């Protein structure tokens, strides 16, 4: 993947800003712990609050980047501003998610992805990894299996391709499955464990697909009307 000195410079700047905010947040929380008589916990409070403030700073800066430079579907060269913006956003996303990991228990995962731009419905079970959450939409009661990867970009032959991914309500993405850019998984549909939904694949409502690349296997019963 092509990188330049500008990538390193801007990444360093935004991470330094987030780090400074995290440091100040940790320092303030440590002082507050002492003030409240919880001096024995001041180090723990400082570390946790520093991580929290760092993570929230990454969220805010990443959303500002997308507000001013939204990354739309399409194919772009590695010399384009879109590629540069994507790399900057990705740095904030991965470092931010890492900082928020102590707070990112299973039932909080969808909310963290929502903060970074994903559109996520109610009662979603999110066990997999979202890449480019700002281009991913997951409907109510969908299940994203452990170690699955939902990636809304692909890099090939000097170009990066962005494609919005839509996983409809009550759909299931199996363990270790891969969903690539531009994929649509219909309501109540199932992508089996280990399957790969290649770019542009459309899985209709209520169908089960599997294999590499994923192909239709059979229809499945819808859970709810």
């Amino acid at each position: 993947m092509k990188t330049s000195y500008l990538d390193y410079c801007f990444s360093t700047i935004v991470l330094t800003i987030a780090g400074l905010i995290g440091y100040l947040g940790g320092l303030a929380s440590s002082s507050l712990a002492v003030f409240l008589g919880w001096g024995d916990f001041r180090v723990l409070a400082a570390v946790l609050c520093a991580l929290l403030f760092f993570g929230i700073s990454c969220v805010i800066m990443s959303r500002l980047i997308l507000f001013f430079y939204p990354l739309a579907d399409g194919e772009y060269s590695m010399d384009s501003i879109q590629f540069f913006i994507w790399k900057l956003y990705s740095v904030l996303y991965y470092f931010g998610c890492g900082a928020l990991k102590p707070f990112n228990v299973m039932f909080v995962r969808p909310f963290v992805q929502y903060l970074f731009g994903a559109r996520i419905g109610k009662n979603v079970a999110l066990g997999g990894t979202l890449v480019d959450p700002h281009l991913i939409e997951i409907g109510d009661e969908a299940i994203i299996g452990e170690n699955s990867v939902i990636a809304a970009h692909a890099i090939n032959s000097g170009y990066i391709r962005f494609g919005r991914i839509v996983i409809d309500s009550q759909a299931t993405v199996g363990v270790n499955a891969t969903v690539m850019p531009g994929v649509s998984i219909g309501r109540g549909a199932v992508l089996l464990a280990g399957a790969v939904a290649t770019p542009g694949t459309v899985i209709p409502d209520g169908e089960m697909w599997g294999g590499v690349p994923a192909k239709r296997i059979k229809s499945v019963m819808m859970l709810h009307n």
Side-chain angles (χ1 to χ4, degrees):
M1 183 172 67
K2 183 177 180 180
T3 55
S4 69
Y5 73 93
L6 284 177
D7 296 323
Y8 294 108
C9 289
F10 277 88
S11 296
T12 300
I13 289 170
V14 295
L15 291 177
T16 299
I17 293 171
L20 180 60
I21 294 172
Y23 171 76
L24 294 175
L27 191 63
S29 66
S30 177
S31 300
L32 180 61
V34 173
F35 177 76
L36 295 175
W38 301 340
D40 292 341
F41 302 99
R42 67 182 184 278
V43 175
L44 178 61
V47 171
L48 290 177
C49 284
L51 290 173
L52 181 61
F53 275 79
F54 179 90
I56 292 174
S57 300
C58 288
V59 167
I60 293 172
M61 285 190 286
S62 67
R63 295 302 293 265
L64 285 173
I65 287 172
L66 293 177
F67 178 79
F68 289 106
Y69 298 97
L71 296 173
D73 291 8
E75 189 173 79
Y76 306 95
S77 75
M78 290 192 179
D79 295 316
S80 65
I81 184 64
Q82 288 86 356
F83 189 55
F84 171 76
I85 294 300
W86 172 77
K87 286 183 284 186
L88 190 58
Y89 167 85
S90 297
V91 166
L92 289 167
Y93 171 61
Y94 285 113
F95 274 86
C97 283
L100 294 173
K101 206 169 187 64
F103 315 95
N104 197 7
V105 294
M106 177 65 74
F107 60 87
V108 178
R109 287 183 187 177
F111 179 68
V112 171
Q113 297 302 316
Y114 166 78
L115 291 177
F116 279 101
R119 298 177 62 183
I120 296 187
K122 298 177 293 184
N123 301 320
V124 171
L126 182 55
T129 299
L130 303 189
V131 184
D132 316 300
H134 57 290
L135 291 173
I136 297 173
E137 179 179 349
I138 302 176
D140 298 344
E141 301 178 11
I143 299 172
I144 311 299
E146 288 290 336
N147 298 319
S148 59
V149 177
I150 317 297
H153 84 273
I155 298 175
N156 187 30
S157 301
Y159 288 87
I160 184 168
R161 175 186 176 186
F162 299 119
R164 180 167 293 279
I165 293 173
V166 177
I167 300 172
D168 212 337
S169 58
Q170 301 173 37
T172 298
V173 175
V175 173
N176 295 317
T178 301
V179 178
M180 301 183 74
V183 169
S184 175
I185 300 178
R187 184 173 185 267
V190 176
L191 182 65
L192 293 176
V196 177
T198 53
T201 298
V202 177
I203 302 178
D205 295 352
E207 290 192 359
M208 178 184 290
W209 285 44
V212 182
K215 302 291 184 181
R216 182 184 184 278
I217 296 177
K218 65 178 182 178
S219 294
V220 294
M221 183 177 296
M222 302 289 286
L223 295 179
H224 302 289
N225 293 324

